[in-house]
Amino acid sequence: MATQETKRYMEMQMQELKEACAANEEEKKPAPKKANNNRDKNAEIAKLYEDAAEYEEDLKGFQEELEIVNANEFKDIPDLLKEKFSTQERDYAQEIRTLLEATWAHYVNVEKTHPQEQLDIIKTTALHEIVTALAKAYPDYEGDFESDIKEILVKRWEMLIAIKKEHIKEEIAEIKILGLKPNYVQRIYKQFHGIE
């Protein structure tokens, strides 16, 4: 009895399928439908890569910023970043000041390796004059303020880069879980958005 019902159900499905496929030629417009279907399918696939593409763009930006940090003196870094990435809405000078103040506060209050006066100088001095002001106030300082400050910046940018790489890995893993090849999805994304 159950096989009879199953058989009848399958026959009905086949009949519906035949009717759908047997539409007359005037009603049938295969080329536009196929193009639309491909476009819709590509849009869905491209959407899978959107977050990864955004993370890749951020990663590229952070790597370029790190190059500027590594290649220049501290006093020039905020202006060079602002100049190079003028389209960004980020306030590099404020980001760097906040980073320095937080790190130096950690040195003063937690590690107790630096005096409070150094933190006060960092808070009250113009950003491009901080290294000079610290060196002048502490001529016997065993380290090098320029190197110490740049090391803080480098660690920060390296951390940002590591975070973005991890985000990209997670997105790629999600694509693989869906049974798709990341390179294929990336290629469809680029084609869909007209990149390259």
Side-chain angles (χ1 to χ4, degrees), residues 23-81:
N24 71 32
E25 289 299 317
E26 291 172 8
E27 294 176 4
K28 197 174 176 184
K29 295 182 181 178
K33 276 187 179 181
K34 187 174 182 182
N36 266 352
N37 287 342
N38 282 344
R39 178 108 176 118
D40 292 345
K41 183 181 174 186
N42 287 348
E44 288 178 31
I45 292 172
K47 190 171 177 72
L48 296 173
Y49 203 79
E50 283 179 1
D51 288 341
E54 185 179 320
Y55 294 143
E56 286 173 350
E57 190 65 32
D58 290 345
L59 175 63
K60 182 181 174 192
F62 289 144
Q63 288 170 332
E64 290 175 9
E65 290 169 0
L66 180 58
E67 286 176 20
I68 290 173
V69 169
N70 280 325
N72 296 283
E73 291 183 23
F74 172 73
K75 66 183 176 68
D76 300 326
I77 291 172
D79 292 336
L80 289 170
L81 288 171

Side-chain angles (χ1 to χ4, degrees), residues 10-130:
M10 289 177 70
E11 287 174 352
M12 287 173 49
Q13 282 184 329
M14 285 300 291
Q15 185 61 32
E16 287 176 17
L17 186 59
K18 284 179 186 177
E19 289 172 4
C21 292
N24 71 32
E25 289 299 317
E26 291 172 8
E27 294 176 4
K28 197 174 176 184
K29 295 182 181 178
K33 276 187 179 181
K34 187 174 182 182
N36 266 352
N37 287 342
N38 282 344
R39 178 108 176 118
D40 292 345
K41 183 181 174 186
N42 287 348
E44 288 178 31
I45 292 172
K47 190 171 177 72
L48 296 173
Y49 203 79
E50 283 179 1
D51 288 341
E54 185 179 320
Y55 294 143
E56 286 173 350
E57 190 65 32
D58 290 345
L59 175 63
K60 182 181 174 192
F62 289 144
Q63 288 170 332
E64 290 175 9
E65 290 169 0
L66 180 58
E67 286 176 20
I68 290 173
V69 169
N70 280 325
N72 296 283
E73 291 183 23
F74 172 73
K75 66 183 176 68
D76 300 326
I77 291 172
D79 292 336
L80 289 170
L81 288 171
K82 184 179 179 183
E83 181 183 314
K84 169 92 177 180
F85 303 102
S86 58
T87 58
Q88 297 283 338
E89 296 178 13
R90 293 169 55 195
D91 183 350
Y92 289 102
Q94 187 57 48
E95 281 183 36
I96 291 171
R97 178 170 293 286
T98 302
L99 175 62
L100 284 180
E101 288 178 9
T103 304
W104 231 268
H106 179 78
Y107 292 162
V108 171
N109 300 320
V110 178
E111 292 183 11
K112 304 205 183 295
T113 55
H114 292 67
Q116 176 66 41
E117 293 76 22
Q118 287 181 357
L119 179 58
D120 295 339
I121 290 171
I122 290 171
K123 286 183 175 182
T124 58
T125 306
L127 201 56
H128 65 279
E129 296 174 0
I130 288 176

